[in-house]
Amino acid sequence: MISADMETRIIDAVNARGPLLGRELVEALDGAPYLDVWRTCFGSGFLQISHFARYYLRYDITREDFIRLSPSILRDFLTFTLISLPHQRSQVIERQIQLSNHHREISVRKLAVARDTIMYLSDEHRKALFENAVCFIAGDIAYYLAHDEPRQNQQLGKLIQGSDIDIVVVFRDGFDPDMLKAIDEEMLAVKNFVLRRTNFKEEVDFVVKPESRMKAQMMYGDIHEKIASKILYESMFLCGDFTLYVELKNALRDVEATAKIEADFDAALKSRRDSMKSLLQTEGDIEDPSVQSLFFFSQERVEFT
């Protein structure tokens, strides 16, 4: 059951301001509860809903089935959904183009930060990395969905600029272990440097592993193997040995991990539809853990509660 008063307030706001993102709509309603606004928009027979996100697979270990689609339902609503009225169709199309380009620009900027981060490595380590390893990026940046909404970094207790930058580094087997350790340590120092610089405020995370481990994770058995395989599947080449990158992508296909990931995506899509239906039918509020589990990822709790 949706609130008629809330629906009227939303219609008035959209009529006065034009198509609004979920975040903009919440602000226009003086910070009304996310869930109430979402339920009213999706339960209304009059308001128009337009999405412009691309969706990708994500594993949430707080749920029994592990499989979700990203962006979460709440993130999608706040950042990638326009609420409009029937007569505003042309305005919706124009805003979708503008917003899609905005997220692409943010993603490209974060890719540049990722490349700069690699360039901060010493000449010796960078040369060894380029010759013996591949670096790739996954997550919302790879889908050009990066956002720049400030969020709290728990380690430093300070705000950072939106999406974090996850860089996976896969080295060929047999690489000098002492050199690998030295590169790993320097990457940690670079991560902290980039995070603290005023003109960056970007969170960069590195995962470093040998080729044999990456291939073993393609068995797609436990949750950790699934996450590692999914990251490679959705990844974007950053730098290093491109031949190794192609070999890894081909291996992922050859062991049928690619097909399993795509099947999981279909299952996650159905789960999302069921979650949205459940959220519309239940009367629970956002403080209810079961509602939170459906509405957003456990990692987003700090942002949304």
Side-chain angles (χ1 to χ4, degrees):
M1 179 71 68
I2 69 171
S3 165
D5 177 65
M6 175 72 77
E7 183 180 33
T8 299
R9 291 174 64 198
I10 292 172
I11 291 171
D12 289 345
V14 174
N15 196 41
R17 306 187 189 197
L20 296 175
L21 290 171
R23 171 177 49 79
E24 295 169 336
L25 184 55
V26 169
E27 291 171 356
L29 299 175
D30 299 320
Y34 297 137
L35 186 56
D36 291 352
V37 178
W38 181 89
R39 279 182 174 140
T40 302
C41 289
F42 280 81
S44 172
F46 185 69
L47 293 166
Q48 305 292 299
I49 310 292
S50 303
H51 307 273
F52 58 94
R54 294 176 63 194
Y55 301 100
Y56 59 94
L57 196 60
R58 184 165 175 173
Y59 297 89
D60 190 345
I61 60 175
T62 64
R63 297 194 68 189
E64 292 182 3
D65 59 9
F66 302 139
I67 302 171
R68 315 257 338 233
L69 286 187
S70 193
S72 67
I73 293 173
L74 178 53
R75 171 69 71 194
D76 187 29
F77 175 62
L78 295 178
T79 310
F80 302 106
T81 300
L82 285 168
I83 312 303
S84 63
L85 299 175
H87 68 274
Q88 296 173 327
R89 182 60 183 163
S90 61
Q91 293 173 263
V92 169
I93 294 172
E94 183 176 343
R95 279 217 74 190
Q96 281 181 327
I97 293 171
Q98 293 172 342
L99 289 165
S100 295
N101 286 341
H102 174 66
H103 288 286
R104 182 179 180 85
E105 289 168 2
I106 295 170
S107 301
V108 169
R109 188 183 74 232
K110 286 180 177 288
L111 279 170
V113 172
R115 294 189 182 98
D116 288 345
T117 300
I118 298 297
M119 296 307 293
Y120 281 129
L121 297 175
S122 67
D123 291 344
E124 178 187 14
H125 290 166
R126 191 170 62 252
K127 182 175 184 293
L129 187 149
F130 284 0
E131 292 177 352
N132 299 278
V134 60
C135 304
F136 51 85
I137 283 185
D140 53 9
I141 296 176
Y143 286 91
Y144 292 103
L145 291 177
H147 67 90
D148 58 0
E149 295 174 20
R151 58 190 182 87
Q152 192 75 10
N153 177 271
Q154 297 302 300
Q155 177 186 352
L156 295 181
K158 64 187 290 188
L159 292 176
I160 60 174
Q161 296 298 323
S163 304
D164 56 0
I165 301 169
D166 297 318
I167 302 175
V168 179
V169 183
V170 180
F171 278 88
R172 287 200 180 273
D173 292 338
F175 184 69
D176 181 356
D178 293 332
M179 176 67 80
L180 179 56
K181 181 180 178 182
I183 293 174
D184 199 12
E185 290 174 351
E186 188 177 14
M187 284 179 171
L188 179 59
V190 168
K191 164 188 166 71
N192 292 329
F193 168 72
V194 171
L195 185 58
R196 285 173 169 82
R197 282 196 64 174
T198 303
N199 60 327
F200 276 107
K201 291 185 181 177
E202 300 280 6
E203 185 169 12
V204 181
D205 287 320
F206 291 98
V207 174
V208 182
K209 66 181 78 173
E211 176 186 1
S212 56
R213 183 180 172 203
M214 180 72 255
K215 288 184 175 178
Q217 290 174 325
M218 295 178 191
M219 293 301 99
Y220 208 69
D222 62 30
I223 184 65
H224 303 291
E225 292 177 353
K226 290 180 177 181
I227 291 172
S229 296
K230 190 271 301 188
I231 288 173
L232 174 60
Y233 170 85
E234 70 189 17
S235 66
M236 176 186 294
F237 176 79
L238 181 63
C239 63
D241 185 348
F242 187 71
T243 299
L244 175 56
Y245 183 65
V246 173
E247 290 174 3
L248 293 173
K249 294 282 277 190
N250 288 342
L252 193 70
R253 179 200 61 215
D254 293 343
V255 299
E256 298 185 353
T258 295
K260 293 175 183 176
I261 291 167
E262 291 170 355
D264 275 350
F265 180 92
D266 291 340
L269 182 59
K270 180 181 183 302
S271 176
R272 189 185 190 92
R273 293 194 196 103
D274 293 343
S275 294
M276 293 177 72
K277 182 178 180 181
S278 178
L279 285 166
L280 286 170
Q281 293 176 344
T282 183
E283 295 183 358
D285 62 29
I286 203 165
E287 298 301 323
D288 185 336
S290 63
V291 170
Q292 290 182 7
S293 175
L294 296 175
F295 205 30
F296 56 85
F297 303 140
S298 57
Q299 296 93 326
E300 296 173 324
R301 191 170 319 242
V302 174
E303 295 178 67
F304 296 141
T305 60

